[in-house]
Amino acid sequence: MHSNYIIRPMKREEVNIAIDWAAKEGWNPGLHDADCYYHTDPNGFFMGLLDGKPISTLSVVKYSASFGFLGFYIVHPDYRRQGYGLKIWKSGIQYLYGCNIGLDGVVEQQENYKKFGFKLAYRNIRFEYVGGDDVFANTDTIDLSTLPFNTVELYTCSFFPEKRTAFLKSWINQPDCHALGIIQNDRLAGYGVIRKAQNGYKIGPLYADNPALADAIFASLIQAVDFLQPVYLDIPEVNHEALKLAERYRMEKVFETARMYTGESPTLPLDRIYGVTSFEVG
């Protein structure tokens, strides 16, 4: 490994490099993900530079003193298998020292992650919807912006190990997105966000208290965008009702990840998580 290799925190504009590389890897990030991610933890984005040239990236977003999430672990193809990845990886793990660390890793890297103490929790499967169905938007769905932010945040809290106010605010209000929810018995009973991606659209998250509500929100989300574009949904494989939803809409499996943690898997209502927010920040 070259001695002129340094690792330092990214500047905001450099997160665009990580997004671009992730797109080249086929991960299809959202068009406005960089802003939402970076402002969640501006110190949690690392870049490795060789003679001043970016060759590696890593995000290690610290949500609290006890929980963080790792993503964007990418080494430029010209510099792989030379030790550069391992060095930036160790810097990121050090930044999250003392945290239970989560990640969504490509399946081929599972064994490598296990060497660093990560344990498999479950698989997330990316499904692609390409239209062709008569899908009708549910008239019960409402725009999340019509609700007090506290209402949305309170509902969201049970679906993630830590509160993430700054991220949630930017996520549901980002450009080129629709955030829709359903009120039942005078309370929020589910919501979803669809955003423009490098290719088509991505839904994430999709939370709902039961399968019928999940279906209604999903239908409304895909009706809200250009029906000629593909739509992607990342489903925790352990949610069987979510897999049935994918089957009903004749969605095709296109990708999968291994959700892993260094500590105990957080207690989350996986039966109500029909779509993962993000493979990069959880």
Side-chain angles (χ1 to χ4, degrees), residues 44 53 93 105 125 222:
K53 176 186 176 183
I93 295 295
I125 302 177
I222 58 177

Side-chain angles (χ1 to χ4, degrees), residues 17 27 51 85 97 109 112 123 126 139 144 148 150 231 233 267 271:
I17 296 172
W27 300 347
D51 295 322
Y97 180 78
Q109 291 293 333
N112 281 336
R123 295 191 307 165
R126 175 164 295 170
T139 54
L144 278 194
N150 288 350
V231 174
L233 178 67
T267 303
D271 60 326

Side-chain angles (χ1 to χ4, degrees), residues 4-273:
N4 291 342
Y5 179 58
I6 64 160
I7 293 161
R8 62 158 172 77
M10 286 187 201
K11 303 180 180 76
R12 161 60 190 90
E13 61 271 15
E14 290 172 329
V15 181
N16 297 338
I17 296 172
I19 294 281
D20 182 52
W21 288 2
K24 287 184 170 70
E25 293 293 321
W27 300 347
N28 195 27
L31 292 187
H32 305 284
D33 286 2
D35 266 337
C36 299
Y37 295 165
Y38 184 74
H39 295 301
T40 303
D41 179 8
N43 299 312
F45 290 80
F46 289 65
M47 175 165 279
L49 299 102
L50 183 62
D51 295 322
K53 176 186 176 183
I55 66 163
S56 62
T57 62
L58 184 73
S59 66
V60 275
V61 172
K62 186 183 285 188
Y63 288 106
S64 71
S66 59
F67 186 76
F69 205 90
L70 184 152
F72 286 115
Y73 180 39
I74 308 171
V75 177
H76 189 282
D78 294 346
Y79 298 93
R80 289 177 184 172
R81 288 174 288 281
Q82 297 174 50
Y84 296 115
L86 182 60
K87 190 168 182 186
I88 197 169
W89 169 274
K90 286 181 175 177
S91 296
I93 295 295
Q94 181 61 36
Y95 177 72
L96 293 179
Y97 180 78
C99 291
N100 183 8
I101 308 170
L103 64 76
D104 272 308
V106 292
V107 174
E108 308 86 74
Q109 291 293 333
Q110 258 188 82
E111 294 307 312
N112 281 336
Y113 295 139
K114 285 179 182 174
K115 292 172 189 171
F116 290 94
F118 285 85
K119 301 179 285 290
L120 179 67
Y122 50 86
R123 295 191 307 165
N124 286 315
I125 302 177
R126 175 164 295 170
F127 286 91
E128 179 184 48
Y129 172 79
V130 290
D133 295 299
D134 290 327
V135 178
F136 300 100
N138 190 289
T139 54
D140 293 334
T141 53
I142 58 168
D143 197 300
L144 278 194
S145 64
T146 64
L147 298 176
F149 176 74
N150 288 350
T151 301
V152 180
E153 183 172 46
L154 188 63
Y155 183 74
T156 305
C157 278
S158 65
F159 294 98
F160 198 73
E162 296 289 340
K163 200 171 179 179
R164 45 180 182 173
T165 304
F167 171 77
L168 181 61
K169 268 185 183 163
S170 60
W171 193 253
I172 64 177
N173 292 300
Q174 63 180 292
D176 298 315
C177 99
H178 298 271
L180 304 175
I182 285 188
I183 299 289
Q184 198 171 66
N185 300 323
D186 298 322
R187 56 177 287 278
L188 189 60
Y191 79 84
V193 178
I194 190 165
R195 70 194 194 281
K196 190 82 184 75
Q198 310 281 329
N199 174 37
Y201 294 87
K202 293 174 88 169
I203 292 175
L206 177 54
Y207 301 146
D209 290 355
N210 61 56
L213 293 174
D215 196 296
I217 296 166
F218 178 83
S220 292
L221 290 171
I222 58 177
Q223 281 292 97
V225 299
D226 179 0
F227 69 94
L228 295 176
Q229 299 275 325
V231 174
Y232 299 93
L233 178 67
D234 300 328
I235 293 176
E237 190 185 34
V238 290
N239 185 338
H240 302 299
E241 290 295 339
L243 295 177
K244 288 178 186 176
L245 181 147
E247 192 177 334
R248 275 198 303 281
Y249 287 93
R250 295 196 285 278
M251 300 173 79
E252 295 288 332
K253 175 182 168 181
V254 293
F255 184 63
E256 69 176 79
T257 67
R259 171 61 64 91
M260 307 179 82
Y261 297 98
T262 52
E264 292 299 312
S265 297
T267 303
L268 302 174
L270 293 167
D271 60 326
R272 294 161 58 212
I273 300 177

